[in-house]
């Protein structure tokens, strides 16, 4: 049953399961060398990426990956698709303007006529969706929500030398978690933050038409539907924003950096993650990195890290987990959980 009556009773929200779905095609840095003027050494040194997965548009899309991730997460929670009463997908690369990815997922996993919506927050799509989903359960409206991050961003990359500064960074993936009502009200969100800066989008955007080009970027027809990124400007934004976001979220929850067991971070560059580790004195166990194997998978990046942690037995009840992302929009956001 979808859309239960809203009540003033606050309940707990648990993370009941997680899952991921990756395209089978692997593209290593050396594969890229045969497509453009680049090198394994340049990519590893500047980003930490060694390989990424790339979808095959002839046989799969964002929805297919999202469906795989949703099914895996629902099974991991020991639930059935019919137990789910809302599907939310964080994505900036739906297969088509309509239907939304979430509608396709709800139908194809067999969830029935439940609510389904996409959230376009680029790399923050999953974290924003998680915050929305938490409050939908916490306020008594829904019981079980599958939250998915799914993107096939490589379709907006130019795999020639002209696009090398962007194409080497990205990969395709989907990952999901299932949120479920829990009678213990101490379980769930402790603090969250969501931000945007539309002006900053001039440094990271995907133009759909000539009018979308800001004054700092010269229009050319071949740049339509290709990611434009001023790497250094975005790097500066990320390195500056990341610690502020962590501090702001800790302060809201009244916690110290060390009180958090896992910082589950958007994977856009190893050097950005490492600067946060150094700033807060975090061990590699507290801030996991998987960018070496997947690159930047946009909305899938954060839940993909969480799923790996969970599958490796490092997520336990009682822990505190901070999900963090920043990216195009520009957007940045956090979600701090008591498990
Ligand atoms: O979720 C989206 C968020 N995006 C990000 O977080 C990205 C943030 N930015 C970055 O991670 C870095 O800026 C990059 C990894 C994208 C680039 O690193 P950089 O140290 O800022 O390099 P650069 O753009 O300043 O380029 C340095 C040189 C240039 O050559 P010249 O002008 O010095 O001769 C580039 O043409 O590296 C060249 N270059 C490459 N060389 C080999 C750019 N891309 C490549 C490449 N392979 N793929």
């Amino acid at each position: 049953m979808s859309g239960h009556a809203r009540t003033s009773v606050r309940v707990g929200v648990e993370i009941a399961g997680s899952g991921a779905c990756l395209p089978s095609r692997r593209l290593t840095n050396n594969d890229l060398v045969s497509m453009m003027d680049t090198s394994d050494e340049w990519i590893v040194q500047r980003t930490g990426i060694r390989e990424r997965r790339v979808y095959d548009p002839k046989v799969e899309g964002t929805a297919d990956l999202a469906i795989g991730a949703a099914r895996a997460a629902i099974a991991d929670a020991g639930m059935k698709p019919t137990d789910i009463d809302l599907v939310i997908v964080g994505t900036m690369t739906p297969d088509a303007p309509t239907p939304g990815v979430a509608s396709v997922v709800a139908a194809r996993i067999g969830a029935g006529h439940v609510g389904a919506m996409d959230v376009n927050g680029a790399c923050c799509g999953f974290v924003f969706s998680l915050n929305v989903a938490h409050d939908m359960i916490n306020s008594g409206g829904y019981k079980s929500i599958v939250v998915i991050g799914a993107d096939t961003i490589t379709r907006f990359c130019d795999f020639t030398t002209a696009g090398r500064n962007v194409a080497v960074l990205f990969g395709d993936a989907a990952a999901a978690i299932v949120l479920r009502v829990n009678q213990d009200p101490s379980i769930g969100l402790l603090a969250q933050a969501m931000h945007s800066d539309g002006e900053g989008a001039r440094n990271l955007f995907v133009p759909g038409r000539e009018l979308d080009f800001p004054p700092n970027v010269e229009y050319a027809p071949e740049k339509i539907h290709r990611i434009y990124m001023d790497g250094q400007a975005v790097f500066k934004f990320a390195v500056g924003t990341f610690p502020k976001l962590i501090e702001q979220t800790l302060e809201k929850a009244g916690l110290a950096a060390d009180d958090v067991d896992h910082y589950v971070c958007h994977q856009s560059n190893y050097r950005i993650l490492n600067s946060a580790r150094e700033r807060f004195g975090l061990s590699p166990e507290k801030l996991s990195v998987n960018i070496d194997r997947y690159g930047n998978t946009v909305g899938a990046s954060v839940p993909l890290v969480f799923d790996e942690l969970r599958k490796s037995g490092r997520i336990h009840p009682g822990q505190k987990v901070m999900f963090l992302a920043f990216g195009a929009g520009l957007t940045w956001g956090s979600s701090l959980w008591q498990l």
Side-chain angles (χ1 to χ4, degrees):
M1 244 278 280
S2 193
H4 310 274
R6 190 183 170 97
T7 71
S8 59
V9 180
R10 298 292 178 194
V11 292
V13 182
E14 65 171 308
I15 295 180
S18 68
C21 182
L22 293 153
S24 53
R25 188 174 159 219
R26 245 190 195 94
L27 205 61
T28 65
N29 291 348
N30 282 328
D31 292 330
L32 290 174
V33 169
S34 65
M35 301 159 85
M36 62 184 77
D37 178 15
T38 189
S39 69
D40 177 55
E41 193 191 5
W42 191 97
I43 301 170
V44 172
Q45 273 181 5
R46 307 266 174 151
T47 70
I49 301 166
R50 292 182 184 277
E51 61 177 53
R52 71 286 294 142
R53 302 296 182 92
V54 175
Y55 85 118
D56 179 350
K58 291 201 191 78
V59 298
E60 62 197 343
T62 301
D64 299 287
L65 299 178
I67 288 162
R71 283 191 177 129
I74 293 165
D76 184 48
M79 294 165 72
K80 303 184 297 294
T82 47
D83 297 327
I84 298 296
D85 51 17
L86 185 62
V87 178
I88 307 182
V89 180
T91 185
M92 62 170 274
T93 54
D95 298 308
T98 193
V101 177
S103 290
V104 178
V105 172
R108 283 190 28 209
I109 65 173
H113 294 169
V114 297
M117 60 184 169
D118 293 357
V119 172
N120 183 346
C123 299
C124 292
F126 176 83
V127 173
F128 287 1
S129 300
L130 196 58
N131 289 338
V132 169
H134 172 276
D135 285 7
M136 301 288 267
I137 295 178
N138 185 241
S139 57
Y142 292 81
K143 291 202 164 86
S144 307
I145 303 179
V146 62
V147 186
I148 307 163
D151 274 296
T152 50
I153 191 70
T154 58
R155 98 178 86 129
F156 296 104
C157 295
D158 167 12
F159 285 91
T160 70
T161 299
R164 66 181 181 172
N165 66 321
V166 167
V168 302
L169 303 178
F170 290 101
D172 303 319
I177 67 167
V178 173
L179 299 185
R180 183 167 59 194
V181 66
N182 186 295
Q183 291 320 311
D184 179 352
S186 69
I187 294 174
L189 202 58
L190 297 173
Q192 53 102 334
M194 299 195 277
H195 298 280
S196 72
D197 170 16
E199 296 293 330
R202 64 183 174 275
N203 295 320
L204 180 56
F205 65 97
V206 182
R209 55 193 177 147
E210 189 171 352
L211 271 181
D212 296 334
F213 285 73
N216 59 310
V217 184
E218 200 180 328
Y219 166 74
E222 65 274 15
K223 293 183 186 169
I224 295 288
H225 291 147
R226 294 280 176 245
I227 299 168
Y228 170 85
M229 186 178 74
D230 177 337
Q232 290 192 4
V234 176
F235 191 90
K236 228 181 264 173
F237 153 72
V239 167
T241 304
F242 209 20
K244 277 194 218 135
L245 186 59
I246 292 177
E247 269 162 15
Q248 179 191 22
T249 314
L250 289 171
E251 198 179 304
K252 281 188 182 182
L255 295 173
D258 203 39
D259 296 332
V260 174
D261 297 282
H262 297 286
Y263 290 84
V264 180
C265 300
H266 174 53
Q267 309 279 304
S268 70
N269 187 315
Y270 177 75
R271 291 185 290 147
I272 295 170
L273 296 169
N274 214 31
S275 79
R277 268 183 187 160
E278 283 171 5
R279 167 79 182 266
F280 294 96
L282 304 174
S283 64
E285 286 71 38
K286 282 208 174 194
L287 197 164
S288 281
V289 172
N290 67 10
I291 194 170
D292 51 322
R293 283 164 288 140
Y294 307 118
N296 178 348
T297 56
V298 190
S301 157
V302 167
L304 197 55
V305 172
F306 182 78
D307 187 53
E308 283 198 344
L309 285 171
R310 202 174 139 89
K311 297 285 147 54
S312 65
R314 291 167 58 199
I315 297 291
H316 305 291
Q319 286 181 334
K320 292 180 177 60
V321 177
M322 193 188 293
F323 300 90
L324 290 149
F326 51 86
L330 301 171
T331 52
W332 58 107
S334 64
S335 189
L336 173 58
W337 285 69
Q338 175 68 60
L339 302 187

